[in-house]
Amino acid sequence: MISRLDNYDWLVGRSAAIFCIVSTEKWIEADKRHGWHPFTRQAEWCAADHQPLVLVAGEGVWLEDSQGNRYIDGNSSIWTNVHGHAHPVLNAALAEQAQKVCHTSYLGFANPRASELAERLAGYFTSLQRVFFSDDGSTAMECALKMEVQYRQLVGQGEKCEIIAFDSCYHGDTMGAASLGGVDAFASRFRSFGMPVRHVSSVEQLVELDSSQLENVAALVIEPMVQGVNQIHVWPEGMLVKLREWCDAHDVHLIFDEVMTGFGRTGKMFACQHEAVEPDFLCLAKGLTGGYLPLAATLTNEKIYSAFIGSADRAFYYGHSYTANQLGCAVALANLDLFESENTLAQLAGKIQLLSELLGELAEEFVEIYDIRQCGFVAGVELRQLDGKKFPLDDRLGEHWCVKAREFGLLTRPVLDTIVVMPPLSITEDELRQLVAAMAKTMKAYFNH
Ligand SMILES: *Cc1c(COP(=O)(O)O)cnc(C)c1O
């Protein structure tokens, strides 16, 4: 016999469940009718048999879908999250700022949070003392490119406008940033509409360029330490120092795209600190707000900045409506505070080690794991056929593998057949074990072991 209370609970639970099913259907229907997802084959997405997950809540490294299933956020919600979801300190910073004001124009006005954040960011560097805010990784890059182009015009070197980028690089999707891209799927359609760019594969290839090829080169751009979109490609040690020297010797500015590597991801606050190199432009975004809001910053030095000082035509012609958004800056400040109060980087060292041990064990167990590439708390697990050949592209194995992983409580996305493992820095060792255990279960289920 059920008591009245149990009966009541049962009723509430049941109606909540029905409510969820009905809302989920509505959300999916509206999505398929009106939404348009990035980099997505919409015909497949909208097909009747495709049931997308609708994510409704998060706490720490966990995300919850509209049916109440919980998953580990294995790629930090596309490489953005740092201290976990719904962090009380970040939530409080947002709420407190929202009580005051959410947004005011940075065009014509200053605001307290942007002043504080600019000072905090500059505090991490010696030469990078100017901070230009924008909205996301692509605009941080776009801004660096436009600063570079205008700088050269201002100093009477207007013909210098070529950019050297690396093979298979990724710097975002606005037209200028996309034109730098070395991954054809993202960039080939747009390359001719953007910056003149030359790609090199390595420092060795760079130093072989002759002076006629360098005449009009303005800047060199790299994702320091590790290329994310290029299936987690880790650069050789010492490379940043060499690039800095080469750039200085050739009147070429150095742009570091730390959109992915910034804010602890590689084990240090910024990837450039591994080799104590400061670039002329540093682009930050994804982790800047701990993964809460779109906000970006392009940092530069006095040499670049001073060219913009003087007559009226020297103003930098760039900006967005939401530049230096107060909510974004407030949560970014709280994000930086947490690095100190939670000792994030010191805690991370052990987790980086544990991740590499756990992935090493995984690779021993499963022959389909061809390679593991790791830089700090970014890892890529590349899957290949038993003979070492890649799986046919059309199999889209990485994608299907990640859909399978959901059954074991893991959300992530691949780059081709490389599974990206990049959880929030706040993940506990126990949760990290759960993550890799979910990968092992997925391997077993996927490859019928
Ligand atoms: C994600 C990313 C970008 C683009 O940032 P968005 O915020 O997506 O515009 C640029 N560069 C790198 C290295 C990235 O990982």
Side-chain angles (χ1 to χ4, degrees):
M1 206 182 135
I2 39 176
S3 72
R4 254 181 64 201
L5 194 68
D6 285 347
N7 202 2
Y8 176 78
D9 276 356
W10 180 80
L11 263 177
V12 170
R14 198 178 123 91
S15 54
I18 291 169
F19 172 77
C20 279
I21 291 166
V22 173
S23 327
T24 300
E25 274 170 13
K26 277 192 174 157
W27 289 324
I28 291 177
E29 193 191 309
D31 179 298
K32 288 187 176 178
R33 200 180 294 277
H34 300 292
W36 192 344
H37 292 259
F39 314 112
T40 298
R41 303 176 196 203
Q42 282 290 128
E44 272 175 27
W45 178 274
C46 296
D49 63 355
H50 176 237
Q51 174 84 4
L53 290 188
V54 182
L55 298 174
V56 296
E59 192 187 4
V61 300
W62 297 92
L63 289 171
E64 189 178 317
D65 72 15
S66 56
Q67 320 271 19
N69 302 306
R70 279 159 59 85
Y71 310 87
I72 291 183
D73 188 358
N75 76 341
S76 296
S77 293
I78 206 78
W79 314 357
T80 58
N81 197 282
V82 178
H83 304 290
H85 297 277
H87 194 292
V89 171
L90 301 181
N91 289 5
L94 274 183
E96 195 185 315
Q97 185 58 44
Q99 295 294 326
K100 294 176 184 146
V101 66
C102 290
H103 180 66
T104 54
S105 172
Y106 202 57
L107 173 61
F109 303 96
N111 82 62
R113 298 296 89 78
S115 300
E116 289 158 9
L117 183 58
E119 191 173 43
R120 281 287 281 281
L121 290 175
Y124 290 100
F125 304 98
T126 322
S127 62
L128 303 168
Q129 293 299 309
R130 282 287 158 184
V131 180
F132 193 98
F133 290 110
S134 64
D135 303 343
D136 49 51
S138 305
T139 57
M141 277 302 304
E142 205 73 27
C143 168
L145 294 174
K146 282 193 153 181
M147 271 182 190
E148 178 61 39
V149 167
Q150 193 174 337
Y151 170 89
R152 295 290 181 181
Q153 291 168 358
L154 292 172
V155 300
Q157 298 180 324
E159 69 293 343
K160 263 188 177 297
C161 59
E162 279 177 33
I163 308 291
I164 296 179
F166 283 88
D167 284 349
S168 304
C169 65
Y170 175 79
H171 298 292
D173 282 296
T174 54
M175 200 65 96
S179 69
L180 303 180
V183 179
D184 279 347
F186 290 94
S188 60
R189 288 180 184 82
F190 304 112
R191 205 165 278 139
S192 63
F193 298 97
M195 303 292 297
V197 56
R198 175 191 298 278
H199 286 101
V200 294
S201 63
S202 60
V203 175
E204 289 69 37
Q205 220 179 52
L206 176 72
V207 300
E208 275 167 20
L209 296 176
D210 62 47
S211 55
S212 69
Q213 292 167 305
L214 295 176
E215 213 173 355
N216 293 329
V217 172
L220 179 145
V221 59
I222 186 169
E223 299 150 83
M225 298 299 286
V226 52
Q227 289 180 320
V229 171
N230 184 21
Q231 302 177 75
I232 317 299
H233 171 76
V234 184
W235 291 118
E237 251 180 67
M239 182 169 180
L240 303 181
V241 172
K242 287 184 191 155
L243 290 179
R244 181 72 269 181
E245 285 168 5
W246 183 89
C247 282
D248 290 343
H250 293 88
D251 183 22
V252 169
H253 291 137
L254 183 57
I255 306 175
F256 281 173
D257 176 351
E258 290 226 30
V259 172
M260 184 274 273
T261 53
F263 304 100
R265 195 37 80 179
T266 66
K268 291 203 188 274
M269 196 60 172
F270 301 102
C272 62
Q273 294 170 332
H274 287 278
E275 297 186 22
V277 168
E278 291 196 2
D280 299 286
F281 299 94
L282 181 78
C283 299
L284 301 172
K286 288 187 171 108
L288 173 57
T289 60
Y292 264 52
L293 284 170
L295 179 73
T298 305
L299 279 67
T300 192
N301 55 32
E302 191 58 27
K303 179 187 166 206
I304 305 287
Y305 176 74
S306 61
F308 291 79
I309 305 304
S311 52
D313 62 337
R314 293 193 165 239
F316 179 43
Y317 271 86
Y318 191 87
H320 295 286
S321 321
Y322 280 101
T323 292
N325 174 261
Q326 296 217 37
L327 267 187
C329 291
V331 75
L333 285 163
N335 173 43
L336 298 179
D337 288 342
L338 280 178
F339 272 93
E340 288 166 25
S341 63
E342 297 194 343
N343 239 328
T344 306
L345 295 179
Q347 301 281 336
L348 190 61
K351 295 184 229 178
I352 290 172
Q353 182 60 33
L354 179 62
L355 178 62
S356 98
E357 284 164 22
L358 293 171
L359 291 179
E361 286 165 19
L362 195 71
E364 268 171 34
E365 192 176 345
F366 297 101
V367 283
E368 293 86 357
I369 296 180
Y370 171 79
D371 192 18
I372 292 178
R373 295 178 289 273
Q374 186 181 350
C375 174
F377 219 41
V378 184
V381 176
E382 184 176 353
L383 306 175
R384 290 218 188 162
Q385 304 188 77
L386 300 188
D387 58 6
K389 291 205 185 98
K390 294 182 184 188
F391 288 98
L393 261 188
D394 288 345
D395 286 6
R396 293 154 71 193
L397 173 108
E399 258 181 76
H400 295 137
W401 190 99
C402 289
V403 170
K404 190 86 197 157
R406 295 176 187 179
E407 292 172 23
F408 306 105
L410 172 62
L411 294 187
T412 187
R413 277 188 71 85
V415 183
L416 299 175
D417 293 340
T418 296
I419 310 302
V420 175
V421 185
M422 197 166 168
L425 309 189
S426 61
I427 193 169
T428 64
E429 295 203 345
D430 187 46
E431 288 165 337
L432 197 53
R433 288 179 202 281
Q434 288 182 57
L435 189 166
V436 179
M439 293 180 76
K441 286 181 197 158
T442 309
M443 291 298 291
K444 281 196 183 116
Y446 198 89
F447 294 109
N448 297 313
H449 280 285

